[in-house]
Structure formats: structure tokens, C-alpha cells
Amino acid sequence: MKKILHVAETIKGGVATVIRTISAPPEGEASNYELVYLIPHDQKKELHGIDEQQVRTFFRTKRDALSLLRFAWKMARVILKEKPHVVHLHSTFSGVIGRCVCLILRPWRSPKIIYCPHAFSFLMESSPAKQKVYSLIERLLQKVTDVIICVSQYELDTAATFGIDRHRMKLIYNGIHYKSDEPKTNGQGPIHLLFVGRLDYQKGFDVLLKAFAGVRRTDLKLTVVGSAVNEDTVDCPVMDGVEYVPWVTPAEVNALYQAADALIVPSRWEGFAMVPLEGMAMGLPVIASDCTSLPELVSHEVTGYIFPAGDHQALTDLLVNIEKPGLLDLGTQGRKVVRERFSATLMIRQTYDVYSAPSY
């Protein structure tokens, strides 16, 4: 039996969805694997459906030095105790700290190291100097990494330009389980827009608010689902037609997808976001920025609309002109695209093939 340790410094949002999805081994192979998880204590509920006996936690108040030290210390203890065959690191902070921990422990334990950045740090909007530092760190740490999972072609190609070895990288698109074909209705009433995600700079929350403020249509309603994760506080101004909802259960999110007419994804950068996949699988058209990987999923005027990342006026111009009948047609096409190209079954199979493949 092969033991897999999933490690994440934070799992709010799409990372939790990815971990839950790949926590089910390929059909008929469940007895071949034992899964263990290391996540923040206050985010245990994000792994609903997973046996709590498999979950190890550390205390995280925010992304500060003390919390990161707790994370590193607990990870070292878990590796020594659990003796995993594979350590699967999720996101960049886990990738940096986790690979350093594994390097220190190498005289005693040498698990296979799988790293999925869910968007490399050098893909972020930052200065050239910071990008050079981020890419230097990644180039150094790739030497102790067996496989780097990239979740979009954009991420893989860009990483290669920054000096990451293509032979170490493997493209595995995020996938989603089949959703029912419950049709959306072209009813009367307001157009309901939905945003689901962290309320931070990366996700373009500020772009969304500026754009919606400029629309001045009384028939548009916006529901914002999420909270800040990497910021201490976030400004959620009171606006006509805007409702703020904290993080909710998957069942509640699905109900919101079903009730909405369009999903807005105004991110500045992404690895390969799960939210648009979930929305499209429920028949929602996606109004997305053209950042990084999103055009690999959303096609302009085919499965939704694309606007320049960070351009709130361009998003406003789109929102001014959308109508329900057109949104319904785009959503129907989006559901078809997800089913054909982004299935959870394929994602799971490819991930477990990586676990079993020879080391680099």
C-alpha cells in the first residue's frame, strides 16, 4: 500500500476542491492507497467528507513567521511518524517550506516529492526583481522535486521561460465531477451575477466592485461569496444590488450556481481556477479576465465573455450589455466543454499515475 501525504499551508477556495477531488483514487484502486492530510486547524471543515482520523493540523493565525514555523515543525513530525511514500505539496508557500523540510529530513526519510504550485509566484503581478527572486527559488528547489504538476498550458510554458525544467513538469488540468443537466430557465426578473472566491487582489475583487458600481442597471444583482484569506481585513462597501455571503458549504454553493445567470471571475492571475469549472458544469456562462490560464477554459462569446485583466471599465462595458437569453446559450455550451475536456476522472487518473511513476 502506498501512503500519500497531502500538505497545504492554506486550503481555502480552489485548493480544497482539488484536494477533495483527488482524495478518491481511481476506480478499483482504493485499497492500494492510504491518504493523510496536513492542513490548518481552522480549515478542517474544508475537507468535509474525509475521515478526520486522516487529517493532521497545525495552528495558523495568519501568514506570519510564527504560523509558518508551526507549519514546518508539524510537517517534519508528520513525515517522521507517518513515513509517507509520496508528499504532495499544494501551493507555493507549502512548496517552498515543504521541500526545505523534506531536504532536511532526507537522511531519515526520502519520500517522492510532488509539487503543485496552483500558480507559480512569478506569475503574479509583481516587479521584475521579485519575479527573478521567485524564479530563482523555484529553480533551486526543483532539484529536490520529482514532479511539478502544472494545471494549465500557460503555467507550464511560462515556467519553462523562467528556467523550470520541462522534463520535471506535467500538465494535469483541474477536473470536476459530472453535474446533472438540470436546465436553467430564461425567466423574467433581474440578472443574477455571482462571484465566488477569496476577496483579495489576486482574485480581482476590487476590479469587480469598481465595475459593478459603474453599471447603473437596476436589473443586475450581485452575490459575493467568500472572505479574505491573505489580508487581515477587506473592505466590503454597502452597494445597491450587492449581497455579501461568507464561505458556504458545497451544497449551498451549488444552489447559488443554480440560481445565478452568470459567474464573474475577474482574477489578475490563476493557476487553473476551479470556480469557473464548477459554474460551467452547472450551466453558467463565465465573464472572466484574460489572465494567465482563463482563456484555456473560457472562450469569448462561446462559453462566456473575456475582458482585459484589471480593466474595470471593460468589465463594466460587458455588464451594461448582457441579456438573459444570450447568457443561457453561452451556459449551455460551457457545460458541454467542461464535460468533454475537464473531467474529474481524467484528473484523478493522471495524478495517481504521477504518484506511481518512477522518480525523475
Side-chain angles (χ1 to χ4, degrees):
M1 178 178 288
K2 189 181 292 288
K3 182 178 284 190
I4 314 296
L5 172 61
H6 289 280
V7 178
E9 180 261 341
T10 182
I11 61 171
K12 283 282 189 179
V15 174
T17 305
V18 169
I19 293 175
R20 289 196 306 268
T21 301
I22 60 177
S23 289
E27 187 175 353
E29 299 183 22
S31 61
N32 298 336
Y33 297 94
E34 179 183 355
L35 277 65
V36 182
Y37 309 84
L38 175 60
I39 62 171
H41 181 78
D42 64 343
Q43 297 176 19
K44 286 175 65 175
K45 65 180 182 179
E46 298 291 329
L47 295 186
H48 49 82
I50 293 174
D51 189 342
E52 286 195 7
Q53 293 185 356
Q54 299 172 255
V55 180
R56 315 291 181 263
T57 63
F58 68 97
F59 286 95
R60 179 188 191 273
T61 52
K62 57 182 179 179
R63 186 165 281 166
D64 57 11
L66 183 57
S67 294
L68 295 176
L69 283 171
R70 289 195 195 108
F71 169 60
W73 176 248
K74 188 57 179 282
M75 180 181 170
R77 293 178 61 191
V78 169
I79 289 176
L80 291 172
K81 180 179 179 180
E82 298 291 342
K83 303 178 180 63
H85 300 92
V86 176
V87 173
H88 189 153
L89 302 165
H90 297 269
S91 295
T92 53
F93 273 84
S94 299
V96 172
I97 296 172
R99 285 179 288 181
C100 289
V101 169
C102 288
L103 186 59
I104 293 170
L105 295 180
R106 182 161 285 183
W108 300 277
R109 294 284 179 266
S110 297
K112 184 174 185 177
I113 300 175
I114 310 299
Y115 167 48
C116 182
H118 298 279
F120 283 102
S121 295
F122 48 72
L123 296 181
M124 299 188 303
E125 279 190 5
S126 58
S127 68
K130 285 184 177 180
Q131 287 183 326
K132 287 182 179 179
V133 171
Y134 296 149
S135 62
L136 175 61
I137 293 170
E138 293 289 356
R139 288 199 304 273
L140 291 173
L141 289 176
Q142 71 174 327
K143 297 177 181 179
V144 296
T145 311
D146 292 284
V147 180
I148 299 171
I149 294 177
C150 295
V151 292
S152 73
Q153 190 65 52
Y154 175 91
E155 182 181 31
L156 192 152
D157 291 341
T158 305
T161 67
F162 276 91
I164 307 301
D165 187 352
R166 283 185 177 270
H167 292 96
R168 291 187 190 270
M169 293 188 286
K170 168 73 174 177
L171 173 61
I172 301 179
Y173 280 121
N174 287 339
I176 192 166
H177 290 291
Y178 173 79
K179 303 285 185 179
S180 67
D181 285 333
E182 185 176 347
K184 286 189 168 292
T185 58
N186 188 18
Q188 300 299 314
I191 296 175
H192 292 276
L193 306 173
L194 180 64
F195 170 92
V196 179
R198 300 191 311 272
L199 309 186
D200 61 16
Y201 182 79
Q202 177 193 346
K203 298 298 182 181
F205 178 58
D206 59 316
V207 176
L208 173 63
L209 292 183
K210 290 177 184 177
F212 193 81
V215 174
R216 305 187 188 284
R217 282 179 63 171
T218 59
D219 63 333
L220 289 188
K221 305 296 180 184
L222 172 64
T223 300
V224 175
V225 180
S227 63
V229 174
N230 298 327
E231 283 81 6
D232 291 335
T233 60
V234 63
D235 184 24
C236 296
V238 176
M239 297 172 61
D240 289 340
V242 179
E243 178 186 10
Y244 298 100
V245 179
W247 292 108
V248 295
T249 66
E252 291 169 323
V253 171
N254 285 341
L256 290 168
Y257 285 143
Q258 188 60 41
D261 296 298
L263 179 69
I264 303 182
V265 185
S267 304
R268 287 183 168 89
W269 67 88
E270 289 285 356
F272 195 83
M274 292 298 293
V275 166
L277 275 181
E278 294 172 344
M280 290 170 68
M282 296 287 289
L284 273 181
V286 177
I287 302 172
S289 73
D290 63 356
C291 82
T292 56
S293 62
L294 287 175
E296 294 179 46
L297 176 59
V298 183
S299 298
H300 188 63
E301 298 184 343
V302 177
T303 59
Y305 298 104
I306 295 288
F307 67 93
D311 189 341
H312 70 272
Q313 186 57 54
L315 177 54
T316 296
D317 294 342
L318 281 174
L319 297 180
V320 165
N321 294 304
I322 58 174
E323 299 293 342
K324 272 197 175 184
L327 294 175
L328 194 64
D329 293 340
L330 296 173
T332 299
Q333 185 63 26
R335 196 195 304 253
K336 179 181 177 183
V337 168
V338 168
R339 185 169 302 166
E340 291 176 352
R341 295 183 57 201
F342 304 106
S343 75
T345 301
L346 179 60
M347 174 192 180
I348 292 167
R349 177 73 272 168
Q350 291 176 326
T351 301
Y352 281 78
D353 285 346
V354 167
Y355 294 159
S356 301
S359 297
Y360 178 76

